[in-house]
Tab-separated table of all heavy atoms in Angstrom:
chain	number	residue	atom	x	y	z
T	175	LEU	N	88.190	73.677	135.530
T	175	LEU	CA	87.520	73.807	136.822
T	175	LEU	C	86.062	74.185	136.583
T	175	LEU	O	85.155	73.680	137.238
T	175	LEU	CB	88.199	74.895	137.661
T	175	LEU	CG	87.490	75.275	138.960
T	175	LEU	CD1	87.687	74.190	140.007
T	175	LEU	CD2	87.968	76.622	139.470
T	176	SER	N	85.862	75.103	135.619
T	176	SER	CA	84.507	75.538	135.287
T	176	SER	C	84.387	75.761	133.792
T	176	SER	O	85.376	76.028	133.100
T	176	SER	CB	84.161	76.843	136.023
T	176	SER	OG	84.926	77.928	135.519
T	177	VAL	N	83.169	75.639	133.314
T	177	VAL	CA	82.857	75.956	131.922
T	177	VAL	C	81.569	76.756	131.948
T	177	VAL	O	80.692	76.526	132.787
T	177	VAL	CB	82.715	74.683	131.063
T	177	VAL	CG1	81.562	73.813	131.545
T	177	VAL	CG2	82.565	75.027	129.585
T	178	GLY	N	81.466	77.749	131.068
T	178	GLY	CA	80.276	78.581	131.108
T	178	GLY	C	80.120	79.413	129.855
T	178	GLY	O	80.773	79.177	128.838
T	179	LEU	N	79.256	80.415	129.969
T	179	LEU	CA	78.954	81.311	128.854
T	179	LEU	C	78.953	82.746	129.341
T	179	LEU	O	78.564	83.034	130.476
T	179	LEU	CB	77.589	80.966	128.249
T	179	LEU	CG	77.450	79.575	127.627
T	179	LEU	CD1	76.000	79.292	127.282
T	179	LEU	CD2	78.336	79.440	126.390
T	180	ASN	N	79.383	83.641	128.482
T	180	ASN	CA	79.348	85.066	128.808
T	180	ASN	C	79.133	85.876	127.546
T	180	ASN	O	79.253	85.369	126.430
T	180	ASN	CB	80.644	85.501	129.504
T	180	ASN	CG	81.832	85.602	128.572
T	180	ASN	OD1	82.361	84.578	128.133
T	180	ASN	ND2	82.278	86.808	128.266
T	181	CYS	N	78.812	87.152	127.731
T	181	CYS	CA	78.722	88.141	126.664
T	181	CYS	C	77.629	87.831	125.637
T	181	CYS	O	76.805	86.960	125.832
T	181	CYS	CB	80.090	88.306	125.980
T	181	CYS	SG	80.284	89.887	125.124
T	182	ALA	N	77.629	88.623	124.567
T	182	ALA	CA	76.770	88.481	123.384
T	182	ALA	C	75.279	88.598	123.688
T	182	ALA	O	74.592	89.430	123.114
T	182	ALA	CB	77.059	87.177	122.643
T	183	LEU	N	74.768	87.773	124.578
T	183	LEU	CA	73.338	87.782	124.877
T	183	LEU	C	73.091	88.172	126.333
T	183	LEU	O	73.985	88.088	127.177
T	183	LEU	CB	72.740	86.390	124.632
T	183	LEU	CG	72.898	85.817	123.222
T	183	LEU	CD1	72.340	84.405	123.177
T	183	LEU	CD2	72.229	86.703	122.176
T	184	GLY	N	71.848	88.573	126.607
T	184	GLY	CA	71.455	88.815	127.981
T	184	GLY	C	71.133	87.502	128.669
T	184	GLY	O	71.083	86.437	128.044
T	185	ALA	N	70.888	87.565	129.966
T	185	ALA	CA	70.683	86.350	130.754
T	185	ALA	C	69.489	85.532	130.257
T	185	ALA	O	69.576	84.304	130.163
T	185	ALA	CB	70.496	86.726	132.217
T	186	LYS	N	68.382	86.182	129.942
T	186	LYS	CA	67.194	85.446	129.517
T	186	LYS	C	67.472	84.603	128.281
T	186	LYS	O	67.013	83.459	128.175
T	186	LYS	CB	66.040	86.420	129.245
T	186	LYS	CG	65.512	87.100	130.504
T	186	LYS	CD	64.392	88.070	130.178
T	186	LYS	CE	63.889	88.770	131.440
T	186	LYS	NZ	62.840	89.771	131.127
T	187	ASP	N	68.230	85.151	127.344
T	187	ASP	CA	68.522	84.434	126.109
T	187	ASP	C	69.582	83.357	126.300
T	187	ASP	O	69.716	82.452	125.475
T	187	ASP	CB	68.988	85.423	125.027
T	187	ASP	CG	67.894	86.401	124.646
T	187	ASP	OD1	66.805	85.941	124.268
T	187	ASP	OD2	68.116	87.615	124.737
T	188	LEU	N	70.344	83.446	127.376
T	188	LEU	CA	71.378	82.442	127.641
T	188	LEU	C	70.849	81.239	128.403
T	188	LEU	O	71.507	80.198	128.453
T	188	LEU	CB	72.525	83.058	128.458
T	188	LEU	CG	73.669	83.738	127.714
T	188	LEU	CD1	74.772	84.113	128.698
T	188	LEU	CD2	74.246	82.838	126.624
T	189	ARG	N	69.670	81.364	128.988
T	189	ARG	CA	69.250	80.354	129.948
T	189	ARG	C	69.290	78.931	129.409
T	189	ARG	O	69.834	78.019	130.051
T	189	ARG	CB	67.846	80.640	130.472
T	189	ARG	CG	67.532	79.770	131.690
T	189	ARG	CD	66.053	79.612	131.957
T	189	ARG	NE	65.820	78.887	133.188
T	189	ARG	CZ	65.924	77.564	133.317
T	189	ARG	NH1	66.301	76.820	132.288
T	189	ARG	NH2	65.687	76.972	134.487
T	190	GLU	N	68.705	78.686	128.251
T	190	GLU	CA	68.639	77.303	127.757
T	190	GLU	C	70.027	76.735	127.487
T	190	GLU	O	70.253	75.532	127.668
T	190	GLU	CB	67.783	77.231	126.492
T	190	GLU	CG	68.345	77.952	125.281
T	190	GLU	CD	67.495	77.735	124.038
T	190	GLU	OE1	67.457	76.596	123.529
T	190	GLU	OE2	66.858	78.718	123.592
T	191	HIS	N	70.969	77.611	127.127
T	191	HIS	CA	72.317	77.129	126.824
T	191	HIS	C	73.107	76.863	128.106
T	191	HIS	O	73.906	75.917	128.163
T	191	HIS	CB	73.022	78.135	125.928
T	191	HIS	CG	72.180	78.571	124.762
T	191	HIS	ND1	71.687	77.675	123.834
T	191	HIS	CD2	71.706	79.800	124.389
T	191	HIS	CE1	70.966	78.323	122.937
T	191	HIS	NE2	70.963	79.616	123.253
T	192	VAL	N	72.863	77.671	129.127
T	192	VAL	CA	73.478	77.409	130.435
T	192	VAL	C	72.915	76.111	131.001
T	192	VAL	O	73.643	75.296	131.587
T	192	VAL	CB	73.234	78.580	131.398
T	192	VAL	CG1	73.711	78.232	132.802
T	192	VAL	CG2	73.949	79.837	130.900
T	193	GLU	N	71.619	75.885	130.790
T	193	GLU	CA	71.012	74.641	131.255
T	193	GLU	C	71.643	73.436	130.563
T	193	GLU	O	71.890	72.394	131.190
T	193	GLU	CB	69.503	74.660	131.016
T	193	GLU	CG	68.796	73.421	131.544
T	193	GLU	CD	67.284	73.509	131.435
T	193	GLU	OE1	66.775	74.459	130.814
T	193	GLU	OE2	66.614	72.613	131.985
T	194	THR	N	71.915	73.572	129.279
T	194	THR	CA	72.577	72.485	128.553
T	194	THR	C	73.935	72.168	129.174
T	194	THR	O	74.265	71.006	129.420
T	194	THR	CB	72.764	72.869	127.074
T	194	THR	OG1	71.482	73.008	126.457
T	194	THR	CG2	73.576	71.811	126.326
T	195	LEU	N	74.730	73.208	129.434
T	195	LEU	CA	76.034	72.997	130.050
T	195	LEU	C	75.898	72.356	131.420
T	195	LEU	O	76.672	71.467	131.787
T	195	LEU	CB	76.791	74.319	130.163
T	195	LEU	CG	77.372	74.901	128.887
T	195	LEU	CD1	78.094	76.214	129.191
T	195	LEU	CD2	78.346	73.923	128.225
T	196	SER	N	74.912	72.796	132.181
T	196	SER	CA	74.751	72.252	133.532
T	196	SER	C	74.398	70.772	133.498
T	196	SER	O	74.669	70.036	134.450
T	196	SER	CB	73.670	73.031	134.293
T	196	SER	OG	72.378	72.693	133.847
T	197	THR	N	73.811	70.336	132.393
T	197	THR	CA	73.428	68.930	132.240
T	197	THR	C	74.603	68.063	131.809
T	197	THR	O	74.755	66.933	132.286
T	197	THR	CB	72.293	68.801	131.204
T	197	THR	OG1	71.174	69.587	131.625
T	197	THR	CG2	71.866	67.353	131.033
T	198	VAL	N	75.447	68.590	130.927
T	198	VAL	CA	76.495	67.751	130.330
T	198	VAL	C	77.868	67.932	130.946
T	198	VAL	O	78.726	67.055	130.816
T	198	VAL	CB	76.602	68.012	128.806
T	198	VAL	CG1	75.269	67.742	128.122
T	198	VAL	CG2	77.086	69.434	128.506
T	199	ALA	N	78.114	69.044	131.629
T	199	ALA	CA	79.470	69.363	132.073
T	199	ALA	C	79.844	68.664	133.374
T	199	ALA	O	79.127	68.773	134.377
T	199	ALA	CB	79.633	70.869	132.233
T	200	ASP	N	80.967	67.980	133.350
T	200	ASP	CA	81.535	67.400	134.562
T	200	ASP	C	82.509	68.417	135.155
T	200	ASP	O	83.674	68.126	135.409
T	200	ASP	CB	82.249	66.094	134.226
T	200	ASP	CG	82.672	65.336	135.471
T	200	ASP	OD1	82.134	65.635	136.554
T	200	ASP	OD2	83.562	64.468	135.358
T	201	ALA	N	82.021	69.624	135.334
T	201	ALA	CA	82.807	70.750	135.853
T	201	ALA	C	81.810	71.734	136.436
T	201	ALA	O	80.592	71.611	136.226
T	201	ALA	CB	83.623	71.416	134.737
T	202	TYR	N	82.309	72.712	137.190
T	202	TYR	CA	81.430	73.760	137.679
T	202	TYR	C	80.946	74.592	136.497
T	202	TYR	O	81.618	74.685	135.464
T	202	TYR	CB	82.167	74.629	138.692
T	202	TYR	CG	82.546	73.880	139.947
T	202	TYR	CD1	83.865	73.528	140.208
T	202	TYR	CD2	81.576	73.513	140.879
T	202	TYR	CE1	84.217	72.828	141.361
T	202	TYR	CE2	81.907	72.822	142.037
T	202	TYR	CZ	83.227	72.475	142.272
T	202	TYR	OH	83.559	71.778	143.405
T	203	VAL	N	79.777	75.198	136.640
T	203	VAL	CA	79.178	75.971	135.541
T	203	VAL	C	79.097	77.438	135.931
T	203	VAL	O	78.670	77.787	137.041
T	203	VAL	CB	77.775	75.428	135.185
T	203	VAL	CG1	77.031	76.398	134.263
T	203	VAL	CG2	77.898	74.062	134.514
T	204	SER	N	79.512	78.302	135.001
T	204	SER	CA	79.482	79.743	135.220
T	204	SER	C	78.623	80.433	134.174
T	204	SER	O	78.408	79.907	133.078
T	204	SER	CB	80.905	80.328	135.163
T	204	SER	OG	81.419	80.247	133.837
T	205	ALA	N	78.143	81.614	134.538
T	205	ALA	CA	77.426	82.473	133.586
T	205	ALA	C	77.689	83.908	133.978
T	205	ALA	O	77.477	84.292	135.129
T	205	ALA	CB	75.929	82.183	133.607
T	206	HIS	N	78.185	84.696	133.041
T	206	HIS	CA	78.251	86.137	133.287
T	206	HIS	C	77.817	86.857	132.007
T	206	HIS	O	78.603	87.245	131.171
T	206	HIS	CB	79.617	86.609	133.817
T	206	HIS	CG	80.845	86.186	133.091
T	206	HIS	ND1	81.261	84.884	132.959
T	206	HIS	CD2	81.800	86.934	132.474
T	206	HIS	CE1	82.405	84.837	132.301
T	206	HIS	NE2	82.736	86.066	131.982
């Protein structure tokens, strides 16, 4: 239903990777 990223890094450091998922994922995207 969704794919995303969490933990390890803060939001600023996750941004480019969340953007990658938002581009390629045929699913909802999450970030926590």
